[in-house]
DNA sequence: TTGTAAGCGTTATCAT
DNA sequence: ATGATAACGCTTACAA
């Protein structure tokens, strides 16, 4: 009823000392059955709720962890957040979810907030060259786990997808349809997944003996607009590609729009393969072939690792496999793609 | 360098008392220029970071607010969260984002966590009949704001969309195309928006003299699968509707899938209008006509209200307008729509 | 098993 | 303007 009922109140009502009350409520074994009962009752009657800040201040454990994603509105990261959060909850940890919004400054702001709030650990999908507050966290010996992305020069456990495998699945799939000119819509070099995917793609070009025209490789920033711009650049080149590979869902949507705007049809005039399996990708026209990772598992695993580190364990990095989900956006074979004729 | 550098360390290094150090760092005017300079320098050199828990403990202000959405993976709520978070950040408040996952028990769990963490206020998109911990929050006089949804019997300021107007826009639009049999895919009656939209739809039926066949009204739960089920039920009835109105984006996608599965074409055999303008709705085939609210504004406004309440103000509820974005999914006129086979 | 009391890092109230 | 010092609500030795 009252705004703030403290342990003292509970103790008074139960007729014991605050020490005893504290021991009962935090489940210490050194308590009598009688005390347990009376304290529990008093706490319930008074509607007592422990003050997490006070406890944390005294016991150096806040039972809160920070989760910093690069863009909450990206369904991929929303899923990661969901997975991580559920796992934390199961260990009665509270998750502070923050959104860097693909902005290095905001990333630093929130890392600072995490430090100030004295969370027990941080999971981050980092961006930028990792100078800023990431080093500060490390120096403060804050338990840290990277998810999806990593930063060079940090000895931090990570949970990532097997990007090389993903690219390989995509390229092999396109090659099987006879494509040799694949337009690559990549991520920014400042993000590890951007780099890993590009290098895997370059390898694939060599391995499958594809057209290595540098004009076929265009960089984006994991946002929708950049996918459109990249698509425009690729399609307006003198010898446009017969297939497009976008390494992020948002950029794929952007590219799709651009393709449409030009009156071309995906899966008909042009093949398209995207990264990330977003729930509604199957509803697009045509349904999009994707290379997918289990975002929820990514988040859940990262949280498990973090809780390990917090509890003094030494977590090993995990690489999760990707898988190809073939759908109609990539059914067009290379030869027909050039001919632009209807079926 | 060190794990924990406290105010005492800063004070010692600056050669002043902790009191003075505290005053300088919290921007009290009662400080000399000399002290300011030395303390600032010492803090910087030591890499001092204020302990939010200790401050909160002493000053009864945690500078943290809780935001509880019903489903982070729903883009609509992700946008709300983004708007709210950015607004909070501008007032240097930290947002604890939690996900009820459309689950009343989890909602209660997080409300409890907010209470325990002693946040300064809570924004919630509530569900259920509002018995649980919502009452507890109210009794604890926790500043509270409802966003998107409300709960009966709570005197809490809210930021909602004008659902009646939204329904009206949608129905008027469909009526203008000659539709009189509109299939309604609604939300759960346990959520205020579900109720408000249904009642507005019933009004619209009367006002526009539409077919009031009760079979045309099917309930869902704001999740994708329920939209599919509802669509199936509507389309397999003896006299199927010529247009579908889904009051949520996820259910609209579910319905769309079901329509496709039956070999029907939206915008051709059947009109479809959805609530919520999701970024990629324009990319579906055909682009979806929607009744949209500005989710980001919803979140930002809610946070503004909450900060008002926290600072002792008395916030007034806000109702934001909706608007119709006509696209190709509703271009089919009623007459051509009848010509299809039911399964 | 229980009570007492000393902190945890701040801020706020006093004097000075 | 500044320095002591007492809280804030809790946990945890240390005694009893």
């Amino acid at each position: 009823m009252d705004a703030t009922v403290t342990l003292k109140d509970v103790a008074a009502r139960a007729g014991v000392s605050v020490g005893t009350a504290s021991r009962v409520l935090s489940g210490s074994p050194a308590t009598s059955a009688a005390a347990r009962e009376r304290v529990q009752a008093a706490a319930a009657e008074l509607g007592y709720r422990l003050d997490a800040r006070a406890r944390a201040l005294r016991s150096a454990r806040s039972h809160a962890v920070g989760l910093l994603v690069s863009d909450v509105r990206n369904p991929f990261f929303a899923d990661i957040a969901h997975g991580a959060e559920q796992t934390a909850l199961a260990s009665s940890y509270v998750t502070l979810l923050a959104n860097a919004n693909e902005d290095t400054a905001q990333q630093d702001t929130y890392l600072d907030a995490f430090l100030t709030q004295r969370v027990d650990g941080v999971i981050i999908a980092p961006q930028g060259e990792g100078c800023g507050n990431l080093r500060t966290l490390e120096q403060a010996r804050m338990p840290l786990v990277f998810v999806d992305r990593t930063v060079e020069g940090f000895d931090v456990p990570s949970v990532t997808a097997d990007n090389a495998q993903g690219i390989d699945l995509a390229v092999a799939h396109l090659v099987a349809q006879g494509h040799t000119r694949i337009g690559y819509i990549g991520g920014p070099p400042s993000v590890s997944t951007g780099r890993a995917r590009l290098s895997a793609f370059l390898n694939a070009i060599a391995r499958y003996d594809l057209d290595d025209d540098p004009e076929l490789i265009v960089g984006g920033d994991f946002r929708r607009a950049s996918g459109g711009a990249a698509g425009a650049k690729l399609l307006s080149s003198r010898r446009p590609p017969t297939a497009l590979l976008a390494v992020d869902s948002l950029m794929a949507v952007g590219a799709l729009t651009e393709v449409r705007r030009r009156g071309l049809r995906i899966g008909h005039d042009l093949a398209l393969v995207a990264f990330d399996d977003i729930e509604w990708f199957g509803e697009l026209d045509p349904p999009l072939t994707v290379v997918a990772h289990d975002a929820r598992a990514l988040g859940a695993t990262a949280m498990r690792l973090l809780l390990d580190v917090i509890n003094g364990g030494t977590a090993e990095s995990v690489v999760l496999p990707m898988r190809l989900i073939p759908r109609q956006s990539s059914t067009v074979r290379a030869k027909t793609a050039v001919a632009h004729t209807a079926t």
Side-chain angles (χ1 to χ4, degrees), chain A:
Chain A
M1 218 66 81
D2 197 66
T4 32
V5 30
T6 77
L7 196 55
K8 206 159 64 178
D9 304 323
V10 174
R13 172 136 188 162
V16 299
S17 72
V18 288
T20 303
S22 171
R23 279 184 285 261
V24 167
L25 292 174
S26 53
S28 158
T31 49
S32 69
R36 260 189 305 257
E37 190 169 340
R38 303 181 58 188
V39 171
Q40 306 275 22
E45 289 163 25
L46 263 39
Y48 170 72
R49 212 159 292 261
L50 184 131
D51 187 330
R53 304 166 309 177
R55 164 185 285 206
L57 183 58
R58 181 61 230 238
S59 58
R61 265 285 191 289
S62 67
H63 258 70
V65 297
L67 171 57
L68 187 51
V69 299
S70 28
D71 182 6
V72 244
R73 289 175 303 170
N74 185 329
F76 174 65
F77 288 111
D79 278 346
I80 286 185
H82 184 230
E85 185 195 34
Q86 297 293 95
T87 304
L89 198 59
S91 299
S92 55
Y93 265 79
V94 178
T95 306
L96 278 64
L97 177 53
N99 177 25
N101 212 21
E102 300 285 5
D103 175 4
T104 313
Q106 209 167 113
Q107 168 173 304
D108 274 349
T109 301
Y110 275 114
L111 288 180
D112 198 89
F114 286 162
L115 238 17
T116 295
Q117 296 284 332
R118 301 290 196 272
V119 295
D120 290 342
V122 170
I123 296 179
I124 178 175
Q127 55 198 312
E129 306 307 335
C131 330
N133 277 339
L134 220 42
R135 282 274 172 237
T136 316
L137 283 204
E138 193 186 37
Q139 283 165 2
R141 300 226 186 80
M142 170 79 79
L144 203 57
V145 168
F146 288 145
V147 69
D148 181 55
R149 310 166 170 188
T150 61
V151 176
E152 302 263 339
F154 280 84
D155 185 25
V156 164
S158 62
V159 182
T160 52
D162 191 338
N163 288 294
Q165 177 210 20
I167 288 289
D168 220 61
L169 286 169
V171 173
H173 173 73
L174 288 171
V175 165
Q177 323 271 349
H179 294 278
T180 55
R181 281 186 70 79
I182 302 177
Y184 179 84
I185 303 178
S190 61
V191 172
S192 67
T193 50
R195 294 191 300 272
R197 289 169 193 175
L198 176 59
S199 112
F201 183 66
L202 294 176
N203 281 345
I205 286 185
R207 182 148 13 94
Y208 292 105
D209 198 28
L210 304 179
D211 207 333
D212 64 349
D213 183 349
E215 286 199 353
L216 288 175
I217 295 180
V218 183
D221 64 359
F222 289 143
R223 289 177 164 187
R224 190 180 173 196
S226 72
K233 192 165 168 199
L234 286 165
L235 294 176
S236 57
S237 77
R238 277 178 310 110
R239 287 185 57 215
T242 62
L244 253 32
L245 171 54
V247 303
D248 162 64
S249 63
L250 264 27
M251 294 194 300
V253 173
L256 182 61
T257 309
E258 178 62 24
V259 169
R260 282 242 182 86
R261 211 180 59 71
R262 291 169 175 256
L264 297 174
R265 279 174 304 171
I266 290 291
H268 207 271
D269 303 314
L270 196 68
L272 173 60
V273 174
F275 262 59
D276 304 347
D277 187 32
I278 305 307
E279 200 181 6
W280 41 270
F281 266 16
E283 305 310 321
L284 292 176
D285 177 48
L288 248 50
T289 295
V290 295
V291 177
H293 18 13
D294 185 345
R296 216 162 135 173
L298 230 51
T301 309
M303 186 58 78
R304 210 145 38 227
L305 256 53
L306 182 65
L307 295 179
D308 274 4
V309 176
I310 289 175
N311 294 318
T314 162
E316 290 297 318
S317 292
V318 174
V319 176
L320 296 178
M322 303 199 74
R323 68 186 216 282
L324 180 82
I325 304 178
R327 289 196 278 241
Q328 295 160 41
S329 73
S330 60
T331 50
V332 54
R333 296 190 59 83
K335 334 233 153 136
T336 56
V338 191
H340 70 72
T341 16
T343 316

